[in-house]
Amino acid sequence: MKKIAILLFFSIAKIVIAQTIIPKPVSIVLQKDSLSLQNITQIIVSDSILLSYNEFIDSSLLPNYSATNSIVFDTALPLSTISLKINSALTQQDEYVLRINKESIEIEGTQKSIFYAIMSLNQLLFYAKNDKVACQIIHDYAAFTWRGMHLDVVRHFFPVSFIKKYIDILALHKMNTFHWHLTDDQGWRIEIKKYPKLTQIGSTRSETMLEKHFDPFQGDHTPYGGFYTQEEIKEVVSYAEKRQIVVVPEIEMPGHSIAALSAYPYLSCTKSNFTPRTSWGVSDDIFCTNDSVFHFIYDVLDEVIALFPSSYIHIGGDEAPKIRWKQCKVCQQNIKNHNLKDEHELQSFFISKIDSFLNTKQRKLIGWDEILEGGLAQHAAVMSWRGEQGGIQAATTNHAVVMCPGSHCYFDHYQGNQKTEPLAIGGYTTLKKVYDYNPIPKDLPQDKEKYILGAQGNVWTEYIQTQEHVMYMAMPRLCALSEVLWSPKSNRNYSNFTERLIPHFELLNKKNIRYANAMFDVQSYTKGKKTGLFVELLNDIKNSEIRFTADSTIPTSTSKIYTNVLPIQKSSTIKAQTFIKHQPKGAVFSQDYFIHKAIGAKIENYIAPSESYNQGGIYTLTDGIVGNVPWTSKEWLGWYESDMSLTMHLNETKDIFQMQCAFLKAAESWIHLPEEVEVRFYNEKDELINTKIIHAKEIERQYDENKSLWIDVNLKIKKINFRAKPLNKIPAGMPGSGLSAWLFCSEIALL
């Protein structure tokens, strides 16, 4: 029986690539025969509410199908048809059954889930060979109820035509939520009829910062703006609704409100004149907590609610400095009047008032995880972006949660070799990292898992100016996330996913969707041993080769094939690339390896880096790689609100003349040089022989174009104690001003 099954599978595979659907269905049972698409001439529906689904079946792939008079309302099932039938017995989340028989195609589900079945059918039709598709039975349903993608249209604005295209690609992958970020410091993008100045003044900034030129600021000297009329909003909402996608609007409060304050300064604590921000980051000026602010917000939300039927309204709630509230008599009086402990509880009071208002309108509030600070509003849901802890805290107290930790779900991060990728905000979120994500935190009690609604990918557009760039950053990570949110965890396998993704790219090409090829990129792992430095090269692509060079030349189809770990005996450059059938794929991997006297040293007694920026582990500091800029978390370790502290044991006593400490300076990402570095040097008898303490001004002065602080040593050393203290508070005028700074280090080299 096993041999027969194998022969049957391979005969069917000649007709259609098996299991090409993304996201992967729960179950596909292949049958013996095939269906000729030539025979499909008609669609029959069992209920009039399904009539509109005719437009979503890709009739261009059915040779003899004509959209004119080809959809029929009937309960009978003649041959040579596609039938759509509501089946109330299918009760799991978005459950459907798709049967491809020898003479017909049958789809059963709910009104909503039949749409998802059609999305699967369209993919099968696209991959059909010789107008034939394998007979099969697909039984499918979703793992999570919130399967979302976000888009920031404030930092850069995108027309309705593109928003529809974005929604189409969500629909193809069975995503069901579009989170539309409509207001922020840099612009107000939604028409509010009662407050026309929001778009007359707040929608346009005077210019936009060039790349990452924060200090000194460099702008493009070009006014930038745009907004959606209420009619356009209705058009988008209706378009999404037909594709079973809920549009969740985000109206930022109390922070990220400079665009609104520019239009109506009386809403601020200082009543000063403002203009929409021309750079990115966080502003100290936020909404005040007086009655006029709440009247304004209620009025705005009234119009928003009328436009968006979504049960959730996103109110932001993130990155709201309390400096103005501390100085504001009205805010301080509110703290006293309502018996609040501090400004954090004042924010909770603010959010709770909005929560209560939305509940009177039969809507629910959702906000970023900062809304937990000071106490979570009674009915609020949390979108957890600063890691998973906020989501765990909210779910533990029986609040709904959408997971979108920056470590796995921020699609504005680099996804491949930063030397060849377009400019991004930072970070390093690969396709595999997205695919391996589990929205259910491992530390969450099992009885609280029901409060995790799902997850979403976030596309912030500070450095994404064009429609093509948006798609490039989203795709194919959106494909990976769709499978995380739709397919059972037990059904997921990254290698199988990439096998299906390669032909899926053909479908994206047909739809003129730009996507990244970073999945083909060669990855590297380094390890220092007593005998030297060793480099492992790998990729995630089956049936491929990695070819490499060690002389700085570009690999070709005749270059040496990588088969085993490479010893690096001297400072050199390794280049490598993936090849499939002798054709290069992805970007060329290129890495400089720097051999120094700390390679292979034992490191202990350290304060662990932040979980989000510890991808390579502590031995990243002695792997011979000085981190690149633009930076990725793989090369850089990050500490937040804690010192970097470690002990380095050399293999033997060595003459050390200089010490190179590679620190990152990236103010736009809240990453600053340390406030102080202290190094203690010990001899072979474990005796302290010297101490170096370097303060902020000297660090700044000695920091060079190689991203390094150089320390003169001239000692025989066996052990080093190293401590770097992060900058306590980010200076005014910088992104994240007033908050703690990140400290990033990639290498500690001894020469």
Side-chain angles (χ1 to χ4, degrees), residues 290-431:
N290 58 35
D291 290 342
S292 61
V293 167
F294 291 110
H295 289 314
F296 166 81
I297 292 175
Y298 296 159
D299 288 341
V300 168
L301 290 177
D302 273 335
E303 295 194 33
V304 169
I305 288 167
L307 294 169
F308 295 92
S310 57
S311 58
Y312 283 101
I313 303 294
H314 204 299
I315 56 81
D318 62 311
E319 299 177 333
K322 309 301 186 293
I323 294 173
R324 296 292 183 257
W325 285 2
K326 288 180 179 180
Q327 301 166 345
C328 175
K329 292 181 180 179
V330 172
C331 295
Q332 291 302 308
Q333 190 61 47
N334 275 333
I335 291 175
K336 293 178 181 178
N337 291 347
H338 299 283
N339 298 314
L340 305 176
K341 181 180 177 181
D342 54 22
E343 287 76 21
H344 292 293
E345 288 196 1
L346 182 60
Q347 175 163 314
S348 178
F349 166 79
F350 187 110
I351 300 298
S352 293
K353 284 181 72 69
I354 308 303
D355 179 54
S356 298
F357 173 80
L358 288 174
N359 271 269
T360 66
K361 305 292 183 177
Q362 290 73 53
R363 302 300 181 92
K364 292 178 283 189
L365 179 149
I366 187 167
W368 305 109
D369 54 61
E370 284 95 330
I371 67 173
L372 285 157
E373 297 168 4
L376 188 56
Q378 183 179 359
H379 307 99
V382 168
M383 196 166 273
S384 189
W385 73 279
R386 297 179 303 173
E388 294 187 326
Q389 192 54 46
I392 293 171
Q393 182 181 341
T396 303
T397 54
N398 304 340
H399 287 263
V401 173
V402 175
M403 301 300 294
C404 54
S407 56
H408 292 79
C409 296
Y410 269 49
F411 295 172
D412 55 337
H413 289 180
Y414 287 99
Q415 56 192 311
N417 186 339
Q418 73 278 11
K419 298 175 185 176
T420 56
E421 289 287 296
L423 182 67
I425 196 168
Y428 186 57
T429 304
T430 63
L431 183 70

Side-chain angles (χ1 to χ4, degrees), residues 436-503:
D436 289 343
Y437 182 57
N438 182 5
I440 304 293
K442 61 183 179 181
D443 297 329
L444 185 67
Q446 189 172 357
D447 64 326
K448 303 298 182 182
E449 291 180 1
K450 61 186 177 183
Y451 293 104
I452 305 297
L453 302 180
Q456 73 177 30
N458 292 342
V459 181
W460 299 100
T461 61
E462 287 93 336
Y463 304 102
I464 303 176
Q465 299 181 24
T466 66
Q467 301 172 27
E468 293 77 14
H469 195 179
V470 170
M471 285 300 187
Y472 183 90
M473 299 303 282
M475 302 296 290
R477 289 184 285 194
L478 183 155
C479 304
L481 185 61
S482 77
E483 199 149 298
V484 168
L485 297 173
W486 182 276
S487 307
K489 190 172 186 295
S490 59
N491 228 19
R492 289 193 274 121
N493 175 279
Y494 184 69
S495 179
N496 174 264
F497 169 71
T498 57
E499 282 187 88
R500 287 177 286 118
L501 186 58
I502 291 173

Side-chain angles (χ1 to χ4, degrees), residues 265 491 562 587 711:
N491 228 19
Y562 172 84
I711 301 173

Side-chain angles (χ1 to χ4, degrees), residues 151-154 156-164 178 180-183 188-193 199 203 225-236 307-308:
L151 182 62
D152 165 20
V153 296
V154 175
H156 285 98
F157 181 76
F158 304 97
V160 167
S161 59
F162 176 73
I163 301 301
K164 289 180 176 179
F178 171 44
W180 206 358
H181 184 78
L182 290 164
T183 74
W188 186 281
R189 304 285 178 232
I190 175 174
E191 178 188 23
I192 301 296
K193 294 184 182 298
T199 48
S203 69
F227 67 92
Y228 305 101
T229 67
Q230 293 200 358
E231 289 306 309
E232 289 174 321
I233 296 283
K234 292 175 184 176
E235 182 182 345
V236 168
L307 294 169
F308 295 92

Side-chain angles (χ1 to χ4, degrees), residues 638-658:
W639 285 261
Y640 188 68
E641 296 185 333
S642 67
D643 289 356
M644 173 187 174
S645 180
L646 57 90
T647 299
M648 182 183 294
H649 298 270
L650 304 185
N651 301 325
E652 59 188 12
T653 300
K654 296 181 179 179
D655 289 316
I656 305 300
F657 301 98
Q658 270 190 317

Side-chain angles (χ1 to χ4, degrees), residues 526-535 566-573 592-600 622-626 654 660 747-751:
T526 60
K527 188 171 185 179
K529 299 180 180 180
K530 289 183 179 180
T531 54
L533 188 68
F534 296 84
V535 176
L566 302 175
I568 307 296
Q569 298 173 338
K570 62 180 181 179
S571 295
S572 56
T573 300
D592 299 325
Y593 293 96
F594 170 37
I595 301 301
H596 55 81
K597 295 177 182 179
I599 298 290
T622 55
D623 65 0
I625 300 174
V626 176
K654 296 181 179 179
Q660 179 186 9
E747 193 78 1
I748 298 177
L750 300 178
L751 307 174

